[in-house]
Amino acid sequence: MLFRSREDVRYLGMAKEHWASRLLNSITTDDIEKIQGILVTNGTRIASNRWLASVRACLQDAWRLGKIESNPAMKAKGYPENDPRSRVLSDSEFIRLIEAIHSLEANDHFDRSVYAAFFLLVETGARMSEVLHAKWEDMDLDQGLWRIPRPKSGRPQVQPLSPNSVALLAQLPRRTIFVIPGRKPDKPRSDLQKPWKYILEKAMLKGVTIHDIRRTFGLQVAKTAGLHVASKLLRHSDIRVTERHYAPLGIEELRDALVQREKVLPLRKKAGKENI
């Protein structure tokens, strides 16, 4: 029950970001489906469905108390949930993605903080919600550390920052309390939908979500530094989560591991002439 309550706080907080100034009886099914679409675009169908469940339960209580005449969330449909997504970018796709992100700097339609947001996503493997809610008070640029107060696990954690990330953050203007400012000084940016669409078109990528950046990050670290380090950088509480969802090793990686092992073992060059 504690986990469910924590999830409700998280998802209802998202609803508050969009509807803080709205009366409950003014919220429509269209309003709900619009946010569902944003969550699917920026994250996963699972997140969208969990958000809908929390909002639906909240509005149902409001209906029971006589605050609203009907629950608009009851008419909203959830998205079919497929098997856990395993999409990672190939090396060539990743290069195109990076080039498209760099092109944001020269695009007058996007603020430099948008470029910084995607830079952090690539450099740290953080979740989009963590990047958009990051505050300056949680950035220690002298030590190269980012304290994340409310990660998915519910416990404050510390994310190391690369020298490149520190240099970029040091150049950003501090206009609000948020590193990636929203439209209002006291509110974070709600999404990255528009610049992400631009990036996908520029990089000629299809069927890629923002969360696939994190999954690709996990696989890249697992290949170069091992699964344990990848799990630590992704801040997973259980290494099995990293192995299952973020660092699946394909057949070529497994074959390469066998070849590398063969080089250091006294195996025969031609199997079959003698029993080994």
Side-chain angles (χ1 to χ4, degrees):
M1 289 300 294
L2 178 61
F3 175 78
R4 182 66 252 176
S5 297
R6 188 167 65 239
E7 289 291 280
D8 283 337
V9 169
R10 177 182 171 216
Y11 289 124
L12 292 178
M14 293 180 184
K16 183 179 179 182
E17 290 175 10
H18 290 271
W19 302 330
S21 60
R22 298 275 299 274
L23 296 175
L24 279 180
N25 59 14
S26 72
I27 296 171
T28 66
T29 303
D30 286 342
D31 293 328
I32 292 168
E33 290 176 342
K34 181 179 179 180
I35 298 180
Q36 282 182 274
I38 291 174
L39 290 174
V40 168
T41 301
N42 293 333
T44 66
R45 294 183 176 187
I46 293 176
S48 176
N49 290 343
R50 300 300 180 271
W51 177 85
L52 176 61
S54 293
V55 170
R56 181 180 285 161
C58 179
L59 292 176
Q60 192 67 8
D61 282 341
W63 173 77
R64 291 194 187 97
L65 295 171
K67 303 295 184 182
I68 54 178
E69 294 183 359
S70 63
N71 183 351
M74 298 302 289
K75 296 181 180 180
K77 296 181 179 180
Y79 287 86
E81 294 183 13
N82 299 322
D83 294 334
R85 184 177 170 88
S86 58
R87 177 73 159 93
V88 294
L89 279 71
S90 66
D91 290 345
S92 61
E93 288 177 327
F94 191 73
I95 291 172
R96 298 205 307 270
L97 176 76
I98 296 300
E99 291 174 346
I101 290 174
H102 283 315
S103 73
L104 287 172
E105 281 195 293
N107 192 315
D108 295 334
H109 294 290
F110 300 111
D111 186 272
R112 182 169 171 76
S113 65
V114 172
Y115 167 70
F118 283 103
F119 191 95
L120 286 175
L121 287 170
V122 170
E123 286 278 306
T124 68
R127 302 174 182 91
M128 185 186 68
S129 60
E130 294 169 344
V131 170
L132 294 184
H133 286 80
K135 295 182 179 179
W136 284 114
E137 65 185 27
D138 297 319
M139 295 290 182
D140 185 344
L141 300 186
D142 291 333
Q143 297 295 321
L145 299 174
W146 170 18
R147 181 180 179 275
I148 303 177
R150 292 195 307 162
K152 197 173 183 180
S153 66
R155 299 188 303 273
Q157 294 174 320
V158 175
Q159 172 77 39
L161 296 171
S162 69
N164 287 335
S165 296
V166 171
L168 175 63
L169 291 170
Q171 295 173 4
L172 286 181
R174 302 193 180 194
R175 301 198 303 267
T176 73
I177 61 173
F178 294 101
V179 177
I180 314 299
R183 293 183 178 180
K184 297 181 180 180
D186 60 338
K187 300 290 184 182
R189 187 184 177 99
S190 60
D191 65 76
L192 295 168
Q193 198 169 9
K194 186 175 180 180
W196 180 241
K197 182 180 179 180
Y198 164 84
I199 289 171
L200 291 181
E201 291 176 353
K202 190 80 172 177
M204 295 182 291
L205 294 172
K206 293 183 178 180
V208 178
T209 69
I210 289 179
H211 198 75
D212 292 338
I213 296 176
R214 176 173 168 84
R215 191 176 292 105
T216 303
F217 172 92
L219 180 58
Q220 290 171 340
V221 174
K223 284 182 176 181
T224 57
L227 194 60
H228 179 73
V229 175
S231 184
K232 289 292 185 181
L233 286 174
L234 290 168
R235 291 166 284 107
H236 286 154
S237 58
D238 191 331
I239 195 171
R240 289 174 295 183
V241 176
T242 315
E243 183 176 22
R244 188 184 315 120
H245 298 294
Y246 293 86
L249 295 179
I251 192 68
E252 292 307 318
E253 283 81 17
L254 297 177
R255 192 195 315 278
D256 185 62
L258 291 177
V259 172
Q260 295 302 320
R261 177 177 180 270
E262 199 174 74
K263 290 179 180 179
V264 298
L265 292 178
L267 299 176
R268 299 285 185 182
K269 291 294 183 181
K270 297 181 179 180
K273 285 192 174 183
E274 296 181 25
N275 292 327
I276 300 175

